[in-house]
Amino acid sequence: MRDENGGRPDWAPPVLRGERLEAGLRTLELDVRRRLDGLLQGNHLGLVPGPGSEPGEARPYQPGDDVRRMDWAVTARTTVPHIRESVADRELETWVVADLSASLDFGTAFCEKRDLVVCAVAAIAYLTSGGGNRLGALISNGARTERLPARGGLAHSRNLVRKVAEMPRAEEGTRGDLAAAIEQLRRPPRRRGLAVVVSDFLGGTAWERPLRALSARHELVGIEVVDPRDVDLPEVGTVVLADPETGRQREVKASALLRKEFAAAAQAHRADVARALRQAGAGHLVLRTDSDWIADTVRFVVARKRGWSGAAS
């Protein structure tokens, strides 16, 4: 798939494999910084509502203070109106679950889905950087899971994105286990923060239960990576369909009826994914291999900011 001029569009992710990995990572960082810089206003860059807070000291009420912060226990004890100050916790700890199972080693547009996983992690790293914030990751390809501890700093963020890009591909027939990866993030309990799950969410929804449990402690964002062939079949006559996580193959004729049934099943599955993320209280960002992923990310973050502004007003 090419643009009107027959080449890759400017927004297409860089090539992130082989000898072009180093140059691709540098290009990716520049693209993320250049196009996401306008979102760097406010605490934690719009991915969470704002800094957490811990109760501070009580002090006498003064005209203009927010009455919602009134400390009624102290007021009753002293018979003088008091409000409770809060101490802002401005350090955000973010954990990313990066699913790189075999179904992500696929793409029919401008990149593979695993390339978008790397791009999404790079965007999260940039959007949550600075101010003493820390970033950690669980990277799973089905055969193994690699844990990177949560740390701060640009060097750590760069190394984390590199580790995601360098994660080996699982052998054909290796089944991914997103639910197990999310469960590893949930136990042991971690400091309250932001949890981001990046996956194509194909297959069953066994991950729904651990995700909902995770939401009891963390803000959640689910990033769904989609390729056009995940949602519809081309009109190409006979086609061989393969499941990379089981190794099973089947030759079918892409008739109009089959394409219609495939599209309906894909739409139903994506609706189930959206419902599961919504019920878990997670923000839902969809990135496609045939779409401007940074523009989609910008729209997602802006929409979250507007939602919180509307709730506050």
Side-chain angles (χ1 to χ4, degrees):
M1 184 175 179
R2 302 295 177 187
D3 63 4
E4 294 178 354
N5 298 321
R8 286 171 60 85
D10 294 338
W11 48 259
V15 178
L16 297 170
R17 62 184 63 87
E19 297 179 353
R20 302 177 67 178
L21 176 62
E22 291 293 335
L25 289 174
R26 288 195 297 269
T27 300
L28 176 61
E29 182 176 348
L30 291 174
D31 287 345
V32 169
R33 288 179 175 274
R34 175 174 58 88
R35 298 185 60 190
L36 293 183
D37 195 51
L39 297 178
L40 300 184
Q41 300 175 4
N43 289 307
H44 299 162
L45 314 152
L47 282 176
V48 294
S53 61
E54 297 292 338
E57 296 182 353
R59 64 167 176 81
Y61 172 84
Q62 297 178 359
D65 286 337
D66 188 349
V67 296
R68 291 175 296 182
R69 294 163 53 196
M70 191 74 71
D71 191 322
W72 296 109
V74 177
T75 298
R77 188 169 62 250
T78 63
T79 70
V80 176
H82 277 69
I83 66 167
R84 178 69 64 176
E85 295 278 16
S86 60
V87 179
D89 178 11
R90 297 184 180 276
E91 293 183 357
L92 174 70
E93 183 167 293
T94 300
W95 279 88
V96 177
V97 176
D99 178 14
L100 291 176
S101 53
S103 65
L104 278 296
D105 300 334
F106 173 76
T108 60
F110 296 108
C111 64
E112 292 185 347
K113 289 190 287 184
R114 69 177 289 134
D115 295 328
L116 278 187
V117 174
V118 180
C119 292
V121 173
I124 294 299
Y126 187 58
L127 287 170
T128 58
S129 63
N133 296 344
R134 295 180 296 277
L135 177 68
L138 285 170
I139 314 167
S140 176
N141 66 0
R144 75 181 221 208
T145 299
E146 186 168 346
R147 180 191 301 267
L148 300 179
R151 294 174 181 166
L154 179 60
H156 172 70
S157 295
R158 286 173 172 169
N159 179 65
L160 188 147
V161 174
R162 179 188 302 276
K163 289 291 187 181
V164 176
E166 291 178 341
M167 187 69 168
R169 298 170 185 260
E171 295 183 2
E172 184 176 312
T174 302
R175 184 179 293 278
D177 193 345
L178 181 59
I182 296 175
E183 189 65 26
Q184 286 189 47
L185 178 58
R186 194 170 73 89
R187 299 177 183 275
R190 304 178 189 280
R191 161 180 189 165
R192 293 183 185 275
L194 173 67
V196 182
V197 180
V198 190
S199 175
D200 57 7
F201 296 101
L202 292 181
T205 57
W207 46 266
E208 181 177 359
R209 185 173 181 178
L211 189 69
R212 294 181 68 175
L214 193 64
S215 69
R217 190 170 182 84
H218 303 281
E219 288 283 333
L220 291 179
V221 173
I223 302 181
E224 183 182 8
V225 180
V226 178
D227 185 82
R229 297 289 80 84
D230 290 337
V231 295
D232 66 75
L233 289 176
E235 190 176 358
V236 293
T238 301
V239 61
V240 177
L241 301 180
D243 183 349
E245 296 195 5
T246 63
R248 296 175 57 188
Q249 295 185 354
R250 183 174 180 180
E251 183 176 300
V252 298
K253 183 178 180 181
S255 63
L257 178 59
L258 177 63
R259 298 202 320 273
K260 181 178 179 180
E261 292 177 343
F262 182 92
Q267 183 178 4
H269 174 73
R270 294 196 63 199
D272 286 342
V273 170
R275 174 198 52 78
L277 292 174
R278 183 174 59 253
Q279 291 182 350
H284 185 194
L285 168 60
V286 178
L287 300 181
R288 293 178 57 103
T289 59
D290 60 348
S291 179
D292 186 340
W293 68 275
I294 295 185
D296 293 336
T297 302
V298 169
R299 282 190 288 268
F300 172 77
V301 175
V302 169
R304 283 174 71 85
K305 281 187 174 182
R306 288 176 178 170
W308 291 319
S309 298
S313 61

mmCIF file of all heavy atoms in Angstrom, residues 102-132:
data_model
loop_
_atom_site.group_PDB
_atom_site.id
_atom_site.type_symbol
_atom_site.label_atom_id
_atom_site.label_comp_id
_atom_site.label_asym_id
_atom_site.label_seq_id
_atom_site.Cartn_x
_atom_site.Cartn_y
_atom_site.Cartn_z
ATOM 1 N N ALA A 102 2.956 -13.531 18.299
ATOM 2 C CA ALA A 102 3.117 -13.778 16.865
ATOM 3 C C ALA A 102 2.083 -13.062 16.006
ATOM 4 O O ALA A 102 2.359 -12.718 14.857
ATOM 5 C CB ALA A 102 3.062 -15.282 16.595
ATOM 6 N N SER A 103 0.896 -12.817 16.527
ATOM 7 C CA SER A 103 -0.125 -12.146 15.725
ATOM 8 C C SER A 103 0.238 -10.701 15.416
ATOM 9 O O SER A 103 -0.337 -10.093 14.518
ATOM 10 C CB SER A 103 -1.477 -12.193 16.447
ATOM 11 O OG SER A 103 -1.444 -11.443 17.650
ATOM 12 N N LEU A 104 1.197 -10.140 16.164
ATOM 13 C CA LEU A 104 1.645 -8.772 15.902
ATOM 14 C C LEU A 104 2.714 -8.726 14.810
ATOM 15 O O LEU A 104 3.019 -7.637 14.301
ATOM 16 C CB LEU A 104 2.200 -8.139 17.174
ATOM 17 C CG LEU A 104 1.233 -7.527 18.207
ATOM 18 C CD1 LEU A 104 0.492 -6.353 17.632
ATOM 19 C CD2 LEU A 104 0.317 -8.547 18.810
ATOM 20 N N ASP A 105 3.274 -9.875 14.437
ATOM 21 C CA ASP A 105 4.291 -9.933 13.374
ATOM 22 C C ASP A 105 3.614 -9.981 12.014
ATOM 23 O O ASP A 105 3.857 -10.872 11.199
ATOM 24 C CB ASP A 105 5.190 -11.159 13.566
ATOM 25 C CG ASP A 105 5.922 -11.134 14.885
ATOM 26 O OD1 ASP A 105 6.150 -10.032 15.413
ATOM 27 O OD2 ASP A 105 6.270 -12.224 15.390
ATOM 28 N N PHE A 106 2.756 -9.027 11.775
ATOM 29 C CA PHE A 106 1.914 -9.055 10.573
ATOM 30 C C PHE A 106 1.524 -7.638 10.215
ATOM 31 O O PHE A 106 1.291 -6.794 11.086
ATOM 32 C CB PHE A 106 0.652 -9.891 10.871
ATOM 33 C CG PHE A 106 -0.379 -9.875 9.781
ATOM 34 C CD1 PHE A 106 -0.207 -10.611 8.630
ATOM 35 C CD2 PHE A 106 -1.532 -9.098 9.908
ATOM 36 C CE1 PHE A 106 -1.164 -10.591 7.624
ATOM 37 C CE2 PHE A 106 -2.494 -9.077 8.921
ATOM 38 C CZ PHE A 106 -2.303 -9.828 7.767
ATOM 39 N N GLY A 107 1.480 -7.355 8.928
ATOM 40 C CA GLY A 107 1.053 -6.039 8.486
ATOM 41 C C GLY A 107 0.960 -6.002 6.972
ATOM 42 O O GLY A 107 1.843 -6.508 6.273
ATOM 43 N N THR A 108 -0.118 -5.419 6.473
ATOM 44 C CA THR A 108 -0.323 -5.365 5.021
ATOM 45 C C THR A 108 -0.352 -3.936 4.506
ATOM 46 O O THR A 108 -0.560 -3.723 3.318
ATOM 47 C CB THR A 108 -1.655 -6.051 4.649
ATOM 48 O OG1 THR A 108 -2.738 -5.370 5.298
ATOM 49 C CG2 THR A 108 -1.646 -7.515 5.067
ATOM 50 N N ALA A 109 -0.125 -2.959 5.384
ATOM 51 C CA ALA A 109 -0.164 -1.556 4.950
ATOM 52 C C ALA A 109 1.256 -0.992 4.964
ATOM 53 O O ALA A 109 2.131 -1.497 4.281
ATOM 54 C CB ALA A 109 -1.115 -0.751 5.835
ATOM 55 N N PHE A 110 1.504 0.037 5.780
ATOM 56 C CA PHE A 110 2.801 0.708 5.755
ATOM 57 C C PHE A 110 3.771 0.172 6.794
ATOM 58 O O PHE A 110 4.914 0.615 6.838
ATOM 59 C CB PHE A 110 2.605 2.216 5.974
ATOM 60 C CG PHE A 110 1.822 2.866 4.861
ATOM 61 C CD1 PHE A 110 0.525 3.290 5.084
ATOM 62 C CD2 PHE A 110 2.364 3.030 3.599
ATOM 63 C CE1 PHE A 110 -0.210 3.878 4.067
ATOM 64 C CE2 PHE A 110 1.637 3.613 2.580
ATOM 65 C CZ PHE A 110 0.344 4.042 2.809
ATOM 66 N N CYS A 111 3.336 -0.752 7.624
ATOM 67 C CA CYS A 111 4.230 -1.318 8.635
ATOM 68 C C CYS A 111 3.584 -2.568 9.206
ATOM 69 O O CYS A 111 2.433 -2.885 8.911
ATOM 70 C CB CYS A 111 4.484 -0.299 9.759
ATOM 71 S SG CYS A 111 2.991 0.147 10.699
ATOM 72 N N GLU A 112 4.341 -3.290 10.021
ATOM 73 C CA GLU A 112 3.772 -4.397 10.770
ATOM 74 C C GLU A 112 3.151 -3.871 12.058
ATOM 75 O O GLU A 112 3.492 -2.788 12.530
ATOM 76 C CB GLU A 112 4.858 -5.430 11.109
ATOM 77 C CG GLU A 112 5.395 -6.172 9.908
ATOM 78 C CD GLU A 112 6.381 -7.261 10.300
ATOM 79 O OE1 GLU A 112 6.824 -7.257 11.481
ATOM 80 O OE2 GLU A 112 6.698 -8.109 9.463
ATOM 81 N N LYS A 113 2.279 -4.661 12.628
ATOM 82 C CA LYS A 113 1.632 -4.228 13.866
ATOM 83 C C LYS A 113 2.651 -4.079 14.995
ATOM 84 O O LYS A 113 2.502 -3.205 15.852
ATOM 85 C CB LYS A 113 0.529 -5.212 14.250
ATOM 86 C CG LYS A 113 -0.681 -5.149 13.326
ATOM 87 C CD LYS A 113 -1.850 -5.954 13.877
ATOM 88 C CE LYS A 113 -1.621 -7.436 13.750
ATOM 89 N NZ LYS A 113 -2.811 -8.216 14.196
ATOM 90 N N ARG A 114 3.691 -4.909 15.005
ATOM 91 C CA ARG A 114 4.693 -4.789 16.069
ATOM 92 C C ARG A 114 5.430 -3.458 15.974
ATOM 93 O O ARG A 114 5.884 -2.931 16.992
ATOM 94 C CB ARG A 114 5.666 -5.963 16.052
ATOM 95 C CG ARG A 114 6.607 -6.029 14.890
ATOM 96 C CD ARG A 114 7.577 -7.203 15.044
ATOM 97 N NE ARG A 114 8.538 -6.945 16.105
ATOM 98 C CZ ARG A 114 8.879 -7.820 17.040
ATOM 99 N NH1 ARG A 114 8.304 -9.004 17.075
ATOM 100 N NH2 ARG A 114 9.779 -7.522 17.949
ATOM 101 N N ASP A 115 5.553 -2.889 14.773
ATOM 102 C CA ASP A 115 6.166 -1.566 14.643
ATOM 103 C C ASP A 115 5.327 -0.513 15.349
ATOM 104 O O ASP A 115 5.860 0.416 15.972
ATOM 105 C CB ASP A 115 6.324 -1.186 13.172
ATOM 106 C CG ASP A 115 7.291 -2.096 12.429
ATOM 107 O OD1 ASP A 115 8.244 -2.573 13.062
ATOM 108 O OD2 ASP A 115 7.082 -2.331 11.224
ATOM 109 N N LEU A 116 4.006 -0.641 15.255
ATOM 110 C CA LEU A 116 3.124 0.298 15.936
ATOM 111 C C LEU A 116 3.192 0.128 17.453
ATOM 112 O O LEU A 116 2.991 1.100 18.191
ATOM 113 C CB LEU A 116 1.682 0.126 15.466
ATOM 114 C CG LEU A 116 1.293 0.808 14.152
ATOM 115 C CD1 LEU A 116 -0.199 0.682 13.913
ATOM 116 C CD2 LEU A 116 1.700 2.278 14.146
ATOM 117 N N VAL A 117 3.471 -1.082 17.920
ATOM 118 C CA VAL A 117 3.658 -1.279 19.360
ATOM 119 C C VAL A 117 4.858 -0.469 19.834
ATOM 120 O O VAL A 117 4.799 0.232 20.849
ATOM 121 C CB VAL A 117 3.849 -2.776 19.693
ATOM 122 C CG1 VAL A 117 4.195 -2.945 21.174
ATOM 123 C CG2 VAL A 117 2.600 -3.562 19.354
ATOM 124 N N VAL A 118 5.954 -0.532 19.076
ATOM 125 C CA VAL A 118 7.150 0.245 19.424
ATOM 126 C C VAL A 118 6.834 1.733 19.397
ATOM 127 O O VAL A 118 7.218 2.489 20.293
ATOM 128 C CB VAL A 118 8.312 -0.077 18.461
ATOM 129 C CG1 VAL A 118 9.553 0.735 18.832
ATOM 130 C CG2 VAL A 118 8.638 -1.564 18.482
ATOM 131 N N CYS A 119 6.105 2.175 18.363
ATOM 132 C CA CYS A 119 5.738 3.590 18.249
ATOM 133 C C CYS A 119 4.873 4.024 19.434
ATOM 134 O O CYS A 119 5.063 5.117 19.988
ATOM 135 C CB CYS A 119 4.994 3.836 16.943
ATOM 136 S SG CYS A 119 6.006 3.662 15.451
ATOM 137 N N ALA A 120 3.931 3.194 19.810
ATOM 138 C CA ALA A 120 3.048 3.535 20.929
ATOM 139 C C ALA A 120 3.839 3.661 22.224
ATOM 140 O O ALA A 120 3.617 4.586 23.021
ATOM 141 C CB ALA A 120 1.957 2.478 21.078
ATOM 142 N N VAL A 121 4.786 2.748 22.450
ATOM 143 C CA VAL A 121 5.607 2.815 23.658
ATOM 144 C C VAL A 121 6.459 4.085 23.647
ATOM 145 O O VAL A 121 6.624 4.750 24.681
ATOM 146 C CB VAL A 121 6.485 1.560 23.779
ATOM 147 C CG1 VAL A 121 7.468 1.699 24.940
ATOM 148 C CG2 VAL A 121 5.624 0.322 23.975
ATOM 149 N N ALA A 122 6.993 4.450 22.467
ATOM 150 C CA ALA A 122 7.786 5.680 22.368
ATOM 151 C C ALA A 122 6.937 6.898 22.703
ATOM 152 O O ALA A 122 7.399 7.828 23.382
ATOM 153 C CB ALA A 122 8.374 5.806 20.968
ATOM 154 N N ALA A 123 5.686 6.916 22.235
ATOM 155 C CA ALA A 123 4.798 8.039 22.526
ATOM 156 C C ALA A 123 4.476 8.111 24.018
ATOM 157 O O ALA A 123 4.492 9.192 24.618
ATOM 158 C CB ALA A 123 3.516 7.922 21.709
ATOM 159 N N ILE A 124 4.196 6.962 24.628
ATOM 160 C CA ILE A 124 3.904 6.941 26.066
ATOM 161 C C ILE A 124 5.122 7.413 26.853
ATOM 162 O O ILE A 124 5.005 8.177 27.821
ATOM 163 C CB ILE A 124 3.494 5.525 26.504
ATOM 164 C CG1 ILE A 124 2.163 5.121 25.858
ATOM 165 C CG2 ILE A 124 3.399 5.445 28.022
ATOM 166 C CD1 ILE A 124 1.010 6.019 26.222
ATOM 167 N N ALA A 125 6.309 6.971 26.445
ATOM 168 C CA ALA A 125 7.535 7.386 27.134
ATOM 169 C C ALA A 125 7.693 8.897 27.087
ATOM 170 O O ALA A 125 8.073 9.523 28.088
ATOM 171 C CB ALA A 125 8.746 6.702 26.508
ATOM 172 N N TYR A 126 7.390 9.496 25.953
ATOM 173 C CA TYR A 126 7.534 10.948 25.825
ATOM 174 C C TYR A 126 6.435 11.691 26.569
ATOM 175 O O TYR A 126 6.674 12.712 27.222
ATOM 176 C CB TYR A 126 7.520 11.328 24.344
ATOM 177 C CG TYR A 126 7.823 12.789 24.107
ATOM 178 C CD1 TYR A 126 9.012 13.351 24.552
ATOM 179 C CD2 TYR A 126 6.927 13.602 23.435
ATOM 180 C CE1 TYR A 126 9.295 14.692 24.333
ATOM 181 C CE2 TYR A 126 7.194 14.940 23.220
ATOM 182 C CZ TYR A 126 8.393 15.480 23.663
ATOM 183 O OH TYR A 126 8.656 16.807 23.457
ATOM 184 N N LEU A 127 5.218 11.177 26.494
ATOM 185 C CA LEU A 127 4.084 11.857 27.117
ATOM 186 C C LEU A 127 4.085 11.780 28.639
ATOM 187 O O LEU A 127 3.342 12.504 29.300
ATOM 188 C CB LEU A 127 2.771 11.264 26.592
ATOM 189 C CG LEU A 127 2.402 11.629 25.157
ATOM 190 C CD1 LEU A 127 1.218 10.802 24.682
ATOM 191 C CD2 LEU A 127 2.090 13.108 25.040
ATOM 192 N N THR A 128 4.895 10.899 29.206
ATOM 193 C CA THR A 128 4.936 10.772 30.667
ATOM 194 C C THR A 128 6.322 11.088 31.214
ATOM 195 O O THR A 128 6.630 10.758 32.358
ATOM 196 C CB THR A 128 4.542 9.349 31.101
ATOM 197 O OG1 THR A 128 5.430 8.397 30.501
ATOM 198 C CG2 THR A 128 3.127 9.029 30.676
ATOM 199 N N SER A 129 7.166 11.724 30.438
ATOM 200 C CA SER A 129 8.537 11.994 30.871
ATOM 201 C C SER A 129 8.609 13.259 31.716
ATOM 202 O O SER A 129 7.692 14.078 31.721
ATOM 203 C CB SER A 129 9.455 12.138 29.647
ATOM 204 O OG SER A 129 9.049 13.250 28.861
ATOM 205 N N GLY A 130 9.725 13.415 32.424
ATOM 206 C CA GLY A 130 9.991 14.631 33.170
ATOM 207 C C GLY A 130 9.383 14.642 34.548
ATOM 208 O O GLY A 130 8.548 13.807 34.908
ATOM 209 N N GLY A 131 9.827 15.595 35.364
ATOM 210 C CA GLY A 131 9.250 15.806 36.685
ATOM 211 C C GLY A 131 9.450 14.673 37.662
ATOM 212 O O GLY A 131 8.651 14.502 38.581
ATOM 213 N N GLY A 132 10.480 13.864 37.483
ATOM 214 C CA GLY A 132 10.696 12.741 38.381
ATOM 215 C C GLY A 132 9.832 11.538 38.073
ATOM 216 O O GLY A 132 9.813 10.566 38.843
#
